Amino acid sequence: MIDWLPRRVARLPVGIHTKLLVSILSMVVMFVAVGAVGLLVLRDSDKRATELVGLQQKIAAYRQLQNNTTEQLYALASALIITDERQLDATQRQLNRFTYDFDRAQFIAGKDSALIEQIRGAYAELIDIGSEIIGLIRAGQTRDAQALQLERVAPLSDRLKRQIYSLINNAEAEMVSSAGLSNRHYRLSQTVLIGVALSSILFALIVGYAISKSLTVPVQQMYERFNGIAHGEFGERIEVANQDELGELARGLNHMSEELDQLYHQLELASEHKSQFLANMSHELRTPLNAILGYTELISDGIYGPVPEEIQEVLGRVVQNGHHLLGLINAVLDLSKIEAGQLVLTLDDYDLRSLIQDAVVAVEPLAEEKGLKIQVDLPPDLPRGLGDAQRITQVLLNLLGNALKFTETGQIGVSASADPTMFRVEVSDTGPGIPAEEQSRIFEEFHQIDNSSTREKSGTGLGLAIGRKILQLHGGEIGVKSESERGSTFWFELPRSVAQQKDVA
Amino acid sequence: MSKTILIIEDQEDNRRILRDLLQSTGFEILEATSGLDGVALAIDRQPDLILMDLQLPGIDGYEATRRLRASSALARTPIVAVTSFALSGDEAKAFEAGCDAYITKPYSPRALLARVRELLDQSAET
Ligand SMILES: [Mg+2]
C-alpha cells in the first residue's frame, strides 16, 4: 500500500502540472466541505437555541396566567367580604382582563391550544359566575352570592388551577426534552464535523504523500543514474513508472546512457586500435633503422673489409644521426602513448638514492669526455618511494643529459631532499642559462631554444615535455630557475608515495 | 672446435647482420625464419647459443623459447631474446618464458657480440 499508491499515481498518463492542480483542487474541495458542514451544524444549533427561548417565553406566559388567575380568584373572594362599590368595580375589571391573557397564551400555545381552549371555557364560566355573584352582592343578596361562590366557584377554581398547572408542566417537560434533544444533536454534529475534518486531513496527507513520492522516487533514481554515468558506468537502465514529464526525462536518460555506452565502447575500440597501431609503428620504424645502424657498425668495424679514415668519420655521423632518429621515434611514441592515456606507470617500491646514483654513473662517461665533474649531494637517510622507477630514471637521465650537453666548463650538481610527503630533486649546471621568456616554453613539445649555438646540440626537444608528463602522471611537477650566462637549475617534485597514476589531459 | 649459434629471425637484414657479425668472428651459424623451424632445427642440431627474435610469424619467440626449454637437451642452452618491441613488461615476459638475456633493437653489434661471448663463457664453466 505504502508504495502501491505512489506507483499508481506515477502511472497516470497526465502531466505533473495536472496532477498537482487536481490534488490541490481536491484538497480545497475537502476544506470547503468541512466549512459547509460546520456552517450547517451552526445553523442547526441556532435553531435549537431559538426554540428553547420560545419555550421559556411560553412558560413565562403560562406563569403569568397562573398569577392572574390567583389574583382574580382572590379578588372574587374579597368582593364577598368587603362589599363596597369600589371593590366590586375592581373585581369586575379583573374578570374582564382574562380575555387579553388568553389571546396572548393562545398565540404561543402551539400543541397546548386544546388545553387552553378548555381553560378558556372554564374561565368563561368563572366570568359568568363572577358577574352573577357581583350582581347578587350589588342586589344585597350576599347570602345567595356566598352560596353560589361555595357551590360553583370553588370546584371551578380547583379545576382551573389543575389545568394551568398541567399547562406549565407540559411546557416544562417540552423544554427538558427539547434541551436533551439539542444536546444529542450537538454531539452528533460534533462527531460529523470532526469526522469530516479528520478524513480531509487524512486525504490531504495521502494525496500529498502519493504525489510527492511519485515525483521524488524517479528523481532519486535519476540522480543515482547520473552519478553512475559520472563514474563511468554507462549502459545501465532505470525503470521509472511515470508517464509524466519525469517519465520522459527518465526515457531520455536511458537513451543517453545507451548512447554513451555505445560511444564508450567505440572509443575503447579506437583506443585499442591506436595502441596496436603505436606498437606496430614502433616495430616498423625500428626494424629498418636497426638494419641501417647494424650494417653501418659492421662496415665501421671492418667486417666487410678495411675502411679508410675519412669514411670512418662519415660512418660515425651516420650512426650518430641514426641514434638521434631512434631517440625521436621513442620520444614521439612516448608522447603519443601519454596523450592516448596509454602510458601506464609500473608503480613499485624504489630507492631514489640508487636511482640518482645509477643515472649519474650512466652519464659519467660523457662528463669525463667533456672534462666536467658531477657533484652529487644526497642525504644519507633519503627514504624509499613508491612510483615508476624506470620513468623517474628517464627524467633524471634527460635532465643530466641536458645539463652535460649545454655545459662546457664548470660542473653539474645533483641533489635530493624529502619532506613528509614529497621528494625534491635538483639538477644544476654552469651552462649558458635560459632566458626568462624561454623558461615557461621549454617544457612544451618540440621546443628548443631558438639560438644557433644550442641548435647544434642534438636533442629531440621532447625530453622535457615527456618529463613533465611523467611527473604529472605521478602527481608531481617540474620547473627551472635560471639566469642567462649564470647556469640553470632544473628541479622536480613528486609525491613520495604514488598509489595510483593521475589522469593527464 | 667453433661454437654454433642458431639465429631465429624472420627479417632478412637482421638475420644477415647477425650472420655477418658472428661468422666474421668465427662462429658457426644456423638460421631459421620461423619459431617452428627454429625449434626443430635447435632440437636437431643442439646449438651452443640461440638468438631469438620475439616477433615471429606462427608461434612467437616466447612460445618457441618455452618449447625449447621443454626439451631436456636444450634446457640449459643460453637463449638471448632480441626484440624491437620494447614495451614495459616485455622483458619480464621474456625472462619468464626462459630467456637468459634481453637485447632491444637497435643494438650495437659490438655490444651484442660481447654479451654472446659472456654467456658462452658462463655456460662453458658450468
Ligand atoms: Mg621479427
PDB file of all heavy atoms in Angstrom, chain A residues 398-420:
ATOM      1  N   ASN A 398      67.350  12.504 -18.648  1.00  0.00           N
ATOM      2  CA  ASN A 398      67.100  13.630 -19.536  1.00  0.00           C
ATOM      3  C   ASN A 398      67.700  14.907 -18.959  1.00  0.00           C
ATOM      4  O   ASN A 398      68.372  15.671 -19.660  1.00  0.00           O
ATOM      5  CB  ASN A 398      65.597  13.774 -19.768  1.00  0.00           C
ATOM      6  CG  ASN A 398      65.274  14.974 -20.635  1.00  0.00           C
ATOM      7  OD1 ASN A 398      64.785  15.974 -20.139  1.00  0.00           O
ATOM      8  ND2 ASN A 398      65.587  14.894 -21.918  1.00  0.00           N
ATOM      9  N   LEU A 399      67.452  15.148 -17.645  1.00  0.00           N
ATOM     10  CA  LEU A 399      67.957  16.378 -17.032  1.00  0.00           C
ATOM     11  C   LEU A 399      69.484  16.380 -16.988  1.00  0.00           C
ATOM     12  O   LEU A 399      70.124  17.393 -17.305  1.00  0.00           O
ATOM     13  CB  LEU A 399      67.387  16.540 -15.615  1.00  0.00           C
ATOM     14  CG  LEU A 399      65.862  16.756 -15.526  1.00  0.00           C
ATOM     15  CD1 LEU A 399      65.442  16.984 -14.083  1.00  0.00           C
ATOM     16  CD2 LEU A 399      65.427  17.934 -16.390  1.00  0.00           C
ATOM     17  N   LEU A 400      70.068  15.230 -16.622  1.00  0.00           N
ATOM     18  CA  LEU A 400      71.527  15.140 -16.572  1.00  0.00           C
ATOM     19  C   LEU A 400      72.115  15.289 -17.977  1.00  0.00           C
ATOM     20  O   LEU A 400      73.121  15.990 -18.174  1.00  0.00           O
ATOM     21  CB  LEU A 400      71.946  13.786 -15.979  1.00  0.00           C
ATOM     22  CG  LEU A 400      71.793  13.656 -14.461  1.00  0.00           C
ATOM     23  CD1 LEU A 400      71.941  12.210 -14.026  1.00  0.00           C
ATOM     24  CD2 LEU A 400      72.804  14.537 -13.730  1.00  0.00           C
ATOM     25  N   GLY A 401      71.461  14.634 -18.960  1.00  0.00           N
ATOM     26  CA  GLY A 401      71.920  14.707 -20.348  1.00  0.00           C
ATOM     27  C   GLY A 401      71.904  16.144 -20.841  1.00  0.00           C
ATOM     28  O   GLY A 401      72.875  16.628 -21.439  1.00  0.00           O
ATOM     29  N   ASN A 402      70.820  16.868 -20.562  1.00  0.00           N
ATOM     30  CA  ASN A 402      70.715  18.273 -20.974  1.00  0.00           C
ATOM     31  C   ASN A 402      71.813  19.105 -20.317  1.00  0.00           C
ATOM     32  O   ASN A 402      72.447  19.939 -20.971  1.00  0.00           O
ATOM     33  CB  ASN A 402      69.354  18.852 -20.568  1.00  0.00           C
ATOM     34  CG  ASN A 402      68.240  18.332 -21.454  1.00  0.00           C
ATOM     35  OD1 ASN A 402      68.497  17.785 -22.530  1.00  0.00           O
ATOM     36  ND2 ASN A 402      66.995  18.482 -21.001  1.00  0.00           N
ATOM     37  N   ALA A 403      71.998  18.887 -19.017  1.00  0.00           N
ATOM     38  CA  ALA A 403      72.984  19.676 -18.275  1.00  0.00           C
ATOM     39  C   ALA A 403      74.366  19.478 -18.901  1.00  0.00           C
ATOM     40  O   ALA A 403      75.099  20.445 -19.129  1.00  0.00           O
ATOM     41  CB  ALA A 403      72.990  19.256 -16.810  1.00  0.00           C
ATOM     42  N   LEU A 404      74.692  18.217 -19.190  1.00  0.00           N
ATOM     43  CA  LEU A 404      76.005  17.928 -19.775  1.00  0.00           C
ATOM     44  C   LEU A 404      76.116  18.505 -21.179  1.00  0.00           C
ATOM     45  O   LEU A 404      77.145  19.014 -21.585  1.00  0.00           O
ATOM     46  CB  LEU A 404      76.227  16.412 -19.820  1.00  0.00           C
ATOM     47  CG  LEU A 404      76.544  15.774 -18.468  1.00  0.00           C
ATOM     48  CD1 LEU A 404      76.446  14.264 -18.552  1.00  0.00           C
ATOM     49  CD2 LEU A 404      77.943  16.190 -18.001  1.00  0.00           C
ATOM     50  N   LYS A 405      75.013  18.411 -21.921  1.00  0.00           N
ATOM     51  CA  LYS A 405      75.012  18.854 -23.307  1.00  0.00           C
ATOM     52  C   LYS A 405      75.315  20.354 -23.414  1.00  0.00           C
ATOM     53  O   LYS A 405      76.035  20.800 -24.279  1.00  0.00           O
ATOM     54  CB  LYS A 405      73.625  18.559 -23.906  1.00  0.00           C
ATOM     55  CG  LYS A 405      73.671  18.126 -25.343  1.00  0.00           C
ATOM     56  CD  LYS A 405      72.289  17.957 -25.936  1.00  0.00           C
ATOM     57  CE  LYS A 405      71.380  17.064 -25.128  1.00  0.00           C
ATOM     58  NZ  LYS A 405      70.015  17.009 -25.673  1.00  0.00           N
ATOM     59  N   PHE A 406      74.709  21.135 -22.485  1.00  0.00           N
ATOM     60  CA  PHE A 406      74.796  22.586 -22.630  1.00  0.00           C
ATOM     61  C   PHE A 406      75.923  23.207 -21.801  1.00  0.00           C
ATOM     62  O   PHE A 406      76.085  24.410 -21.790  1.00  0.00           O
ATOM     63  CB  PHE A 406      73.454  23.232 -22.257  1.00  0.00           C
ATOM     64  CG  PHE A 406      72.368  22.895 -23.239  1.00  0.00           C
ATOM     65  CD1 PHE A 406      71.372  21.995 -22.927  1.00  0.00           C
ATOM     66  CD2 PHE A 406      72.382  23.486 -24.503  1.00  0.00           C
ATOM     67  CE1 PHE A 406      70.383  21.685 -23.846  1.00  0.00           C
ATOM     68  CE2 PHE A 406      71.397  23.170 -25.432  1.00  0.00           C
ATOM     69  CZ  PHE A 406      70.398  22.267 -25.109  1.00  0.00           C
ATOM     70  N   THR A 407      76.639  22.384 -21.034  1.00  0.00           N
ATOM     71  CA  THR A 407      77.681  22.952 -20.190  1.00  0.00           C
ATOM     72  C   THR A 407      79.054  22.618 -20.774  1.00  0.00           C
ATOM     73  O   THR A 407      79.324  21.454 -21.094  1.00  0.00           O
ATOM     74  CB  THR A 407      77.566  22.388 -18.762  1.00  0.00           C
ATOM     75  OG1 THR A 407      76.227  22.596 -18.323  1.00  0.00           O
ATOM     76  CG2 THR A 407      78.522  23.097 -17.821  1.00  0.00           C
ATOM     77  N   GLU A 408      79.889  23.653 -20.916  1.00  0.00           N
ATOM     78  CA  GLU A 408      81.226  23.425 -21.462  1.00  0.00           C
ATOM     79  C   GLU A 408      82.271  23.440 -20.348  1.00  0.00           C
ATOM     80  O   GLU A 408      83.216  22.662 -20.351  1.00  0.00           O
ATOM     81  CB  GLU A 408      81.568  24.489 -22.521  1.00  0.00           C
ATOM     82  CG  GLU A 408      80.657  24.461 -23.746  1.00  0.00           C
ATOM     83  CD  GLU A 408      80.565  23.086 -24.416  1.00  0.00           C
ATOM     84  OE1 GLU A 408      81.548  22.322 -24.399  1.00  0.00           O
ATOM     85  OE2 GLU A 408      79.452  22.772 -24.935  1.00  0.00           O
ATOM     86  N   THR A 409      82.115  24.348 -19.405  1.00  0.00           N
ATOM     87  CA  THR A 409      83.052  24.399 -18.279  1.00  0.00           C
ATOM     88  C   THR A 409      82.252  24.509 -16.999  1.00  0.00           C
ATOM     89  O   THR A 409      81.097  24.940 -16.999  1.00  0.00           O
ATOM     90  CB  THR A 409      83.971  25.632 -18.371  1.00  0.00           C
ATOM     91  OG1 THR A 409      83.144  26.793 -18.476  1.00  0.00           O
ATOM     92  CG2 THR A 409      84.918  25.551 -19.547  1.00  0.00           C
ATOM     93  N   GLY A 410      82.913  24.133 -15.913  1.00  0.00           N
ATOM     94  CA  GLY A 410      82.241  24.225 -14.616  1.00  0.00           C
ATOM     95  C   GLY A 410      81.829  22.852 -14.155  1.00  0.00           C
ATOM     96  O   GLY A 410      82.519  21.867 -14.404  1.00  0.00           O
ATOM     97  N   GLN A 411      80.645  22.766 -13.526  1.00  0.00           N
ATOM     98  CA  GLN A 411      80.245  21.448 -13.036  1.00  0.00           C
ATOM     99  C   GLN A 411      78.741  21.266 -13.023  1.00  0.00           C
ATOM    100  O   GLN A 411      77.969  22.215 -13.160  1.00  0.00           O
ATOM    101  CB  GLN A 411      80.811  21.216 -11.634  1.00  0.00           C
ATOM    102  CG  GLN A 411      80.235  22.180 -10.608  1.00  0.00           C
ATOM    103  CD  GLN A 411      80.529  21.709  -9.188  1.00  0.00           C
ATOM    104  OE1 GLN A 411      81.496  20.974  -8.954  1.00  0.00           O
ATOM    105  NE2 GLN A 411      79.699  22.122  -8.253  1.00  0.00           N
ATOM    106  N   ILE A 412      78.364  20.014 -12.876  1.00  0.00           N
ATOM    107  CA  ILE A 412      76.955  19.643 -12.788  1.00  0.00           C
ATOM    108  C   ILE A 412      76.711  19.250 -11.338  1.00  0.00           C
ATOM    109  O   ILE A 412      77.540  18.576 -10.729  1.00  0.00           O
ATOM    110  CB  ILE A 412      76.671  18.406 -13.678  1.00  0.00           C
ATOM    111  CG1 ILE A 412      77.223  18.590 -15.099  1.00  0.00           C
ATOM    112  CG2 ILE A 412      75.183  18.077 -13.708  1.00  0.00           C
ATOM    113  CD1 ILE A 412      76.649  19.738 -15.865  1.00  0.00           C
ATOM    114  N   GLY A 413      75.569  19.667 -10.792  1.00  0.00           N
ATOM    115  CA  GLY A 413      75.235  19.302  -9.409  1.00  0.00           C
ATOM    116  C   GLY A 413      73.911  18.551  -9.355  1.00  0.00           C
ATOM    117  O   GLY A 413      72.961  18.881 -10.063  1.00  0.00           O
ATOM    118  N   VAL A 414      73.875  17.525  -8.554  1.00  0.00           N
ATOM    119  CA  VAL A 414      72.619  16.784  -8.350  1.00  0.00           C
ATOM    120  C   VAL A 414      72.370  16.716  -6.849  1.00  0.00           C
ATOM    121  O   VAL A 414      73.256  16.323  -6.090  1.00  0.00           O
ATOM    122  CB  VAL A 414      72.697  15.337  -8.887  1.00  0.00           C
ATOM    123  CG1 VAL A 414      71.329  14.676  -8.802  1.00  0.00           C
ATOM    124  CG2 VAL A 414      73.205  15.320 -10.307  1.00  0.00           C
ATOM    125  N   SER A 415      71.160  17.124  -6.439  1.00  0.00           N
ATOM    126  CA  SER A 415      70.836  16.996  -5.011  1.00  0.00           C
ATOM    127  C   SER A 415      69.394  16.537  -4.862  1.00  0.00           C
ATOM    128  O   SER A 415      68.578  16.680  -5.781  1.00  0.00           O
ATOM    129  CB  SER A 415      71.044  18.332  -4.298  1.00  0.00           C
ATOM    130  OG  SER A 415      70.102  19.266  -4.773  1.00  0.00           O
ATOM    131  N   ALA A 416      69.098  15.963  -3.713  1.00  0.00           N
ATOM    132  CA  ALA A 416      67.734  15.490  -3.459  1.00  0.00           C
ATOM    133  C   ALA A 416      67.391  15.726  -2.003  1.00  0.00           C
ATOM    134  O   ALA A 416      68.269  15.778  -1.140  1.00  0.00           O
ATOM    135  CB  ALA A 416      67.619  14.002  -3.790  1.00  0.00           C
ATOM    136  N   SER A 417      66.111  15.893  -1.743  1.00  0.00           N
ATOM    137  CA  SER A 417      65.655  16.037  -0.356  1.00  0.00           C
ATOM    138  C   SER A 417      64.240  15.482  -0.254  1.00  0.00           C
ATOM    139  O   SER A 417      63.566  15.285  -1.261  1.00  0.00           O
ATOM    140  CB  SER A 417      65.676  17.511   0.058  1.00  0.00           C
ATOM    141  OG  SER A 417      64.801  18.241  -0.768  1.00  0.00           O
ATOM    142  N   ALA A 418      63.814  15.235   0.977  1.00  0.00           N
ATOM    143  CA  ALA A 418      62.468  14.696   1.180  1.00  0.00           C
ATOM    144  C   ALA A 418      61.793  15.437   2.314  1.00  0.00           C
ATOM    145  O   ALA A 418      62.418  15.714   3.334  1.00  0.00           O
ATOM    146  CB  ALA A 418      62.545  13.203   1.500  1.00  0.00           C
ATOM    147  N   ASP A 419      60.560  15.819   2.116  1.00  0.00           N
ATOM    148  CA  ASP A 419      59.756  16.292   3.246  1.00  0.00           C
ATOM    149  C   ASP A 419      58.740  15.174   3.534  1.00  0.00           C
ATOM    150  O   ASP A 419      58.806  14.121   2.905  1.00  0.00           O
ATOM    151  CB  ASP A 419      59.148  17.676   2.943  1.00  0.00           C
ATOM    152  CG  ASP A 419      58.023  17.631   1.925  1.00  0.00           C
ATOM    153  OD1 ASP A 419      57.521  16.525   1.631  1.00  0.00           O
ATOM    154  OD2 ASP A 419      57.634  18.696   1.434  1.00  0.00           O
ATOM    155  N   PRO A 420      57.831  15.353   4.488  1.00  0.00           N
ATOM    156  CA  PRO A 420      56.972  14.211   4.841  1.00  0.00           C
ATOM    157  C   PRO A 420      56.196  13.604   3.677  1.00  0.00           C
ATOM    158  O   PRO A 420      55.849  12.438   3.707  1.00  0.00           O
ATOM    159  CB  PRO A 420      56.025  14.796   5.882  1.00  0.00           C
ATOM    160  CG  PRO A 420      56.806  15.884   6.502  1.00  0.00           C
ATOM    161  CD  PRO A 420      57.659  16.465   5.422  1.00  0.00           C
TER     162      PRO A 420
END
